[in-house]
Amino acid sequence: MLLVQAIYLCGINFALATEAPYLDLNDGNKIPTVALGTGRGTAHGSSVDEVRDAVLWAIEEGYRHIDTAVLYEDEVQVGQGVADAIAKGLVTREQVFITTKLPNDKHAREQVVPTLKESLAKLGVDYVDLFLIHFPLATKSDGSPDDIDYLETWRGMEDAKQLGLVKSIGVSNFNIEQIDRVLAEGKVKPAVNQIEVHPAHTNEELVIHCQNKGITVMAYSPFGFLVPRRYAGASPPPPPQIDNPTLVKIGEKYGKSTGQVVLRYLIDRGLIIVPKSTNKQRIAQNINLFDFKLTQEEVATINKFNKNRSVFE
Ligand SMILES: NC(=O)c1ccc[n+]([C@@H]2O[C@H](COP(=O)([O-])OP(=O)(O)OC[C@H]3O[C@@H](n4cnc5c(N)ncnc54)[C@H](OP(=O)(O)O)[C@@H]3O)[C@@H](O)[C@H]2O)c1
């Protein structure tokens, strides 16, 4: 208590920051359970200029994991935000877990390491913690399909790990069959599969399959249709929305917002969450999840919203 008061009197709000717990990856590394999403094309608002501050605010609030990708064109700003936090003495490089992703037009084995080196230069770091194949589909630089098997790409990811440029390697948007091929043919097991998971798209079969194989699942677009979606098709968004009575009731029980209930639901399914925000208050809210836990019944209730509906449909 005295320490908290002393910290308070010094005007430093260490006492308010929450650190998320870590999960063990199958390669011996540890991954923080809350990652700040920085991809901004998938939801409303936010320009790349907002990313640097968002990353710094997130680290101030206790985030130790930042999710970026070549596709988001914000690796420079992510690196600047991390550097700002290091310069302020909030963290060391080793304390921040950085995830980035290989784009579809760099899937040839010999392109993987040079592409990662470009990401490292943009981020201003000499390694990343996690490198993912963003999609199991290869394209040419003009976006037309290319005929490169993702197993070849995986060998390039293994090369990058072997060179010490990345601590853990994984995949994103891989289905069960694709995961099983990499497991059967690869030398290194993917540590992570990053996929879309939220109440309207619970993805239970794929999540459980990965977890049974020792692959940690990261849940992207975690708010689902709670928030407006730029790419959602013509049909109306399925429930739940932000004022959904079932979520409101669960939130009232724990003194949390419906957004926090949904994030905690994903944590309680053993997932790493990737909420995106460039708003200081919402960044703080999205990691304030570790003083409550949903019951199994509440998790099952939220699972019933499932419509297998992607936010990109
Ligand atoms: N691997 C992949 O293929 C892939 C695909 C999509 C996304 N991702 C990753 O996952 C991240 C998150 O996905 P996403 O951006 O689609 O969606 P999201 O995190 O589910 O939703 C982001 C939206 O929710 C708003 N928001 C944030 N916190 C909120 C809160 N507490 N209450 C209400 N609204 C809130 C944000 O607005 P404000 O910023 O104004 O707060 C933004 O409009 C991406 O940024 C990216 O890093 C990966």
Side-chain angles (χ1 to χ4, degrees):
M1 188 61 196
L2 272 179
L3 177 66
V4 172
Q5 276 174 355
I7 288 170
Y8 180 75
L9 288 172
C10 290
I12 303 167
N13 70 352
F14 292 136
L16 299 178
T18 325
E19 261 204 48
Y22 289 67
L23 292 184
D24 292 322
L25 295 176
N26 61 26
D27 58 10
N29 294 321
K30 289 184 184 298
I31 183 168
T33 45
V34 181
L36 178 75
T38 68
R40 305 152 327 280
T42 49
H44 270 271
S46 301
S47 76
V48 72
D49 301 324
E50 296 172 75
V51 170
R52 179 177 183 165
D53 281 347
V55 169
L56 175 62
W57 293 333
I59 293 172
E60 283 174 347
E61 290 300 332
Y63 288 65
R64 294 293 176 264
H65 185 171
I66 314 293
D67 182 77
T68 182
V70 172
L71 190 69
Y72 308 159
E73 297 181 339
D74 65 2
E75 288 170 307
V76 168
Q77 290 76 9
V78 167
Q80 288 168 338
V82 171
D84 291 343
I86 294 171
K88 283 184 108 182
L90 297 171
V91 283
T92 61
R93 163 68 188 95
E94 294 69 35
Q95 289 170 326
V96 184
F97 190 105
I98 301 176
T99 296
T100 195
K101 313 187 191 85
L102 181 80
N104 297 348
D105 61 350
K106 305 283 187 223
H107 271 217
R109 178 176 181 172
E110 65 275 10
Q111 288 178 303
V112 176
V113 167
T115 304
L116 175 56
K117 284 183 175 167
E118 283 176 28
S119 288
L120 297 181
K122 286 190 209 142
L123 286 159
V125 296
D126 51 17
Y127 70 93
V128 287
D129 298 273
L130 179 62
F131 191 39
L132 306 176
I133 302 179
H134 205 148
F135 294 94
L137 302 166
T139 63
K140 300 190 173 118
S141 51
D142 64 2
S144 61
D146 202 355
D147 191 22
I148 303 172
D149 188 340
Y150 52 80
L151 283 181
E152 176 182 336
T153 316
W154 188 249
R155 309 239 184 278
M157 302 293 282
E158 292 172 335
D159 297 339
K161 185 172 161 82
Q162 178 78 28
L163 288 169
L165 301 172
V166 54
K167 295 211 185 286
S168 299
I169 53 175
V171 296
S172 179
N173 298 300
F174 276 47
N175 63 26
I176 289 178
E177 189 191 323
Q178 292 158 343
I179 284 283
D180 285 349
R181 263 191 90 214
V182 178
L183 285 173
E185 307 284 337
K187 283 198 217 119
V188 178
K189 201 171 166 174
V192 162
N193 188 15
Q194 183 178 123
I195 55 173
E196 181 178 342
V197 192
H198 51 75
H201 194 57
T202 54
N203 235 327
E204 282 159 272
E205 194 186 358
L206 179 54
V207 167
I208 289 169
H209 185 81
C210 290
Q211 290 176 335
N212 284 343
K213 304 275 179 183
I215 297 170
T216 298
V217 178
M218 289 177 73
Y220 73 67
S221 303
F223 293 114
F225 294 95
L226 256 64
V227 296
R229 290 292 165 182
R230 187 180 293 176
Y231 296 120
S235 48
Q241 268 81 56
I242 201 121
D243 57 352
N244 179 274
T246 305
L247 297 182
V248 168
K249 198 167 163 213
I250 298 174
E252 281 170 358
K253 175 175 164 192
Y254 298 109
K256 297 289 175 183
S257 71
T258 52
Q260 287 170 310
V261 168
V262 164
L263 295 180
R264 184 68 220 197
Y265 148 81
L266 297 168
I267 295 279
D268 287 330
R269 288 180 58 195
L271 306 175
I272 307 292
I273 53 170
V274 194
K276 175 266 167 189
S277 182
T278 44
N279 172 282
K280 201 169 190 197
Q281 281 71 39
R282 288 191 283 280
I283 286 172
Q285 195 186 119
N286 296 343
I287 196 171
N288 182 5
L289 307 170
F290 299 100
D291 56 356
F292 78 115
K293 188 176 174 8
L294 301 193
T295 64
Q296 281 183 1
E297 291 72 32
E298 288 162 344
V299 170
T301 299
I302 297 176
N303 275 334
K304 287 193 196 128
F305 283 113
N306 185 38
K307 292 274 182 295
N308 297 321
R309 174 84 180 270
S310 166
V311 298
F312 298 100
E313 277 168 23

